[in-house]
Amino acid sequence: MIATTGKGFDIILVSGEPYVDHPLSAVGVIARVLDAKGYKIGVVGRPDWKKDADFLKLGPPRLFFGITSGSMDSLLVNYTALKRERSTDPNAPYDSGIPDRAVLVYANIIKRLYPDSVIVLGGIEASLRRFAHYDYWENKVRRSLLLDSRADILVYGPGEKQALEIARRLDRSEKLLGVPGTCVLDRELPAGFIDLPSYEQVSGDPAKFCEAQRLFSNRRRLAQAHAGRLVLQYPMPEYTTADLDWIYGLPFSRNVPPDYPEFAMARFSVITHRGCIGDCSFCSLTLHQGDRIVSRSEDSILEEIRRLTRHPEFKGYIDDLGGPTANMYGMDCQSPCPEGRCLPCKKLDRSHGRLIRLMKRARAIPGVKKIFVRSGIRYDLAMESREYLRELCAHHVSGLLKIAPEHVSPQVLRLMNKGRDRSGEFRRLFKELSRGRRQELKGYYMVAHPGTSEKEARELARHLRTLEQAGERPVEGVQIFTPTPLTRSTCMYHTGIDPVTGEAVYVPRTFTEKKAQKRLLVETGISYGRRGRTKDSVLA
Ligand code: SF4
């Protein structure tokens, strides 16, 4: 049973987002998984943290409170890349309804109201703040969230297996030490753990910060001292195709609450896999979901689409068939290699064969009119299979295909770990394969990433202007780099050092310089997005 009212729950999940019984909602998935194993689950979605009422209405749970900010870090939700509050931004006012540092705020309220309850932290905010980390919003290194929240255990990664194991142990009054995919506090350094530079060391010494960065991995037993207490990380549990088939085969209702309309666009989306082998330096996915692809079986995905066709509100359109990067479906490899090596590896199956077959079979299901691929694709990988691109362009583009070249400067792309710019080749291929169809290609670009001085920013602006002058509208969006916790790019931003090579890196840090880099693009006359936004809205 999953409920948002009542009493007598085994587990209560508290999320910064409204509760949606949907496979794209992390708290929705955890609730379904625990419910399927017989636990009685209560969910408090987007509580009013200024009052206690929402935290009191379900009462204390028998086993634990699970706390998450939702699918994003609350500071990213509440502030722009230039640290402007979104709620007061005249160009894009937005009141998220969640507090800054939502996980901390919720945990402290629950600790005050229910001092004896077990508190479990999870979701992306907890995952990426599990060790000492640079916090862009305070411009300082903060301690692990475990210390500040006084929680009992922190789950990193997607979390289904951890939640089940924690529930099982608490049900039997067993200790929470050693659960795969979690972090806990302890006083002794157990055998076999890598001792990371301590919080005190990484706070004061850029070289130590870089050393810790190089050691972060979901596959290692790691320990980090914070004033005599140790944050211990147990390696992430392996997920298999069978695990994902079971999870996504659960009976999600897909009902979207009226106070969460932004979810409606993705209501009939289907997740095909987890993980990403791209290993972009600015992306936190690797240290959250993992750097290997785990794909669902074709049968499980097709069965889910058949179920959707029987949904009373399904109109024949699948909103998205994808994952973190849509065209990595089927690129699973179990070899025990070091992290971040798959994309250039000769053993990687780049044929897109499994995905092509899946797309063809999915389109043939009676009741399906169109299947969109709205998740991003890794365009340089997609170019390895002309057949995949032909399928994509012919059947799955909703008028606009978005890619993320991010930049054109070889130096910036190297620091981003993006490989060389091949977007021009891709553009030509896309045009050829889209002939006779009303669809266009646009890109996302990033300014102010470490390594970007005015020279590189001008290089990007010149490149885009040349495309515009040739009649293209190449830009879907330009974002200013935001240093999110635990990524390599954030390490560069904070220390001014590339943690991989040890080289010094130029970092645009000031408000003025970041804004000037974005302005350079705007002032060259580049139009943005479908409607071609104004200069003012772009500079927000
Ligand atoms: S063999 Fe290649 S593709 Fe497979 S895990 Fe290792 S690096 Fe990745």
Side-chain angles (χ1 to χ4, degrees):
M1 176 197 174
I2 306 172
T4 52
T5 56
K7 297 273 177 188
F9 295 101
D10 294 319
I11 295 155
I12 295 176
L13 304 175
V14 179
S15 170
E17 291 173 343
Y19 168 57
V20 198
D21 181 21
H22 193 287
L24 280 183
S25 160
V27 84
V29 171
I30 298 287
R32 270 282 157 219
V33 162
L34 289 165
D35 169 77
K37 294 294 180 186
Y39 296 101
K40 192 175 169 192
I41 308 301
V43 184
V44 181
R46 194 170 284 175
D48 180 352
W49 77 96
K50 292 172 188 149
K51 301 180 189 135
D52 289 342
D54 284 350
F55 297 90
L56 290 167
K57 69 181 178 189
L58 301 188
R62 185 174 66 87
L63 299 176
F64 68 85
F65 277 104
I67 296 173
T68 173
S69 66
S71 55
M72 282 174 78
D73 190 290
S74 51
L75 289 154
L76 269 181
V77 175
N78 287 343
Y79 297 89
T80 68
L82 292 173
K83 301 190 190 178
R84 180 178 286 170
E85 274 183 51
R86 291 191 199 274
S87 59
T88 58
D89 184 343
N91 297 306
Y94 175 68
D95 185 0
S96 70
I98 69 171
D100 295 353
R101 308 190 191 284
V103 171
L104 255 185
V105 172
Y106 298 156
N108 283 317
I109 293 171
I110 288 167
K111 200 80 197 163
R112 174 170 55 79
L113 296 174
Y114 305 106
D116 299 329
S117 286
V118 174
I119 294 182
V120 179
L121 309 182
I124 193 104
E125 183 165 315
S127 203
L128 298 176
R129 293 174 184 269
R130 62 192 190 255
F131 292 116
H133 55 279
Y134 172 71
D135 185 280
Y136 171 59
W137 297 272
E138 283 190 348
N139 191 25
K140 71 172 198 186
V141 176
R142 284 184 66 106
R143 307 190 300 176
S144 162
L145 201 52
L146 262 179
L147 276 296
D148 292 336
S149 64
R150 296 175 294 153
D152 296 274
I153 187 165
L154 182 154
V155 168
Y156 67 95
E160 297 93 346
K161 292 193 170 191
Q162 296 94 314
L164 284 173
E165 178 61 12
I166 290 168
R168 190 193 67 77
R169 289 193 186 194
L170 291 173
D171 222 357
R172 298 179 184 187
S173 305
E174 292 175 11
K175 289 211 165 82
L176 293 181
L177 204 64
V179 177
T182 67
C183 295
V184 290
L185 290 174
D186 207 347
R187 297 229 170 245
E188 302 287 319
L189 181 66
F193 275 69
I194 297 170
D195 198 5
L196 295 172
S198 68
Y199 161 69
E200 289 75 16
Q201 287 175 313
V202 300
S203 300
D205 182 349
K208 288 289 176 192
F209 194 98
C210 291
E211 186 185 332
Q213 184 71 40
R214 285 192 294 275
L215 290 166
F216 290 145
S217 161
N218 288 359
R219 303 212 193 110
R220 297 186 180 137
R221 292 171 172 258
L222 298 173
Q224 186 176 48
H226 288 62
R229 299 188 76 189
L230 287 161
V231 174
L232 301 181
Q233 171 189 288
Y234 294 90
M236 190 133 114
E238 295 292 332
Y239 276 78
T240 64
T241 294
D243 292 328
L244 298 195
D245 286 357
W246 177 73
I247 291 167
Y248 293 113
L250 293 171
F252 296 95
S253 70
R254 292 184 184 249
N255 293 334
V256 177
D259 60 342
Y260 202 16
E262 50 280 35
F263 214 92
M265 283 284 292
R267 188 171 182 196
F268 295 109
S269 294
V270 176
I271 293 172
T272 54
H273 63 284
R274 284 188 183 171
C276 182
I277 52 177
D279 194 31
C280 298
S281 303
F282 51 80
C283 181
S284 50
L285 198 110
T286 299
L287 279 172
H288 183 62
Q289 242 184 55
D291 66 340
R292 292 286 186 276
I293 303 298
V294 183
S295 299
R296 292 173 65 186
S297 70
E298 208 173 296
D299 285 348
S300 157
I301 296 168
L302 296 173
E303 185 46 40
E304 184 177 344
I305 296 174
R306 282 187 206 101
R307 276 201 307 278
L308 292 184
T309 64
R310 297 192 290 271
H311 192 287
E313 290 168 50
F314 183 71
K315 302 277 191 301
Y317 299 95
I318 299 291
D319 296 319
D320 184 28
L321 183 69
T325 304
N327 60 317
M328 290 181 184
Y329 174 75
M331 296 188 183
D332 308 37
C333 182
Q334 308 304 333
S335 299
C337 302
E339 278 102 314
R341 303 283 167 80
C342 292
L343 212 51
C345 176
K346 289 198 167 45
K347 291 186 193 158
L348 183 73
D349 176 6
R350 294 173 166 74
S351 69
H352 293 64
R354 284 182 62 186
L355 181 52
I356 295 166
R357 187 181 145 88
L358 173 70
M359 290 154 101
K360 285 185 171 156
R361 289 187 67 196
R363 289 200 303 270
I365 291 175
V368 172
K369 292 181 188 157
K370 179 109 182 167
I371 297 176
F372 296 112
V373 175
R374 289 200 171 98
S375 297
I377 66 162
R378 176 84 190 205
Y379 80 85
D380 50 350
L381 181 61
M383 285 166 69
E384 309 261 347
S385 169
R386 192 180 171 90
E387 191 188 351
Y388 165 70
L389 277 176
R390 195 182 302 120
E391 283 285 309
L392 184 74
C393 293
H395 301 287
H396 300 281
V397 177
S398 60
L400 176 67
L401 183 67
K402 298 176 205 165
I403 57 173
E406 305 294 1
H407 217 279
V408 291
S409 153
Q411 173 189 310
V412 177
L413 288 171
R414 179 177 62 77
L415 291 169
M416 289 177 167
N417 197 31
K418 290 287 283 183
R420 70 186 171 90
D421 175 43
R422 298 179 67 196
S423 58
E425 282 171 70
F426 187 80
R427 192 167 290 283
R428 285 191 288 281
L429 201 50
F430 177 82
K431 269 192 188 162
E432 182 193 328
L433 297 173
S434 298
R435 201 161 289 140
R437 296 177 204 281
R438 284 166 58 103
Q439 53 199 33
E440 59 180 336
L441 180 71
K442 289 193 169 197
Y444 289 104
Y445 294 89
M446 188 186 284
V447 293
H449 185 274
T452 319
S453 68
E454 188 185 328
K455 174 172 161 277
E456 287 76 26
R458 285 194 182 279
E459 192 179 340
L460 177 59
R462 263 197 312 276
H463 172 85
L464 296 175
R465 189 177 52 217
T466 307
L467 287 174
E468 288 251 337
Q469 285 168 345
E472 305 272 352
R473 294 200 306 141
V475 183
E476 176 61 16
V478 176
Q479 63 163 317
I480 295 174
F481 167 67
T482 306
T484 52
L486 240 55
T487 70
R488 281 196 306 276
S489 297
T490 298
C491 177
M492 293 179 215
Y493 182 89
H494 171 56
T495 63
I497 300 168
D498 176 352
V500 178
T501 62
E503 290 166 20
V505 177
Y506 176 78
V507 180
R509 283 203 182 86
T510 65
F511 179 95
T512 312
E513 189 175 5
K514 290 176 188 180
K515 202 159 172 174
Q517 289 204 6
K518 194 160 182 180
R519 192 183 290 275
L520 260 181
L521 266 62
V522 182
E523 287 180 350
T524 50
I526 293 158
S527 53
Y528 288 74
R530 276 195 170 169
R531 287 180 221 105
R533 290 190 227 153
T534 65
K535 191 189 279 189
D536 283 347
S537 71
V538 169
L539 288 174

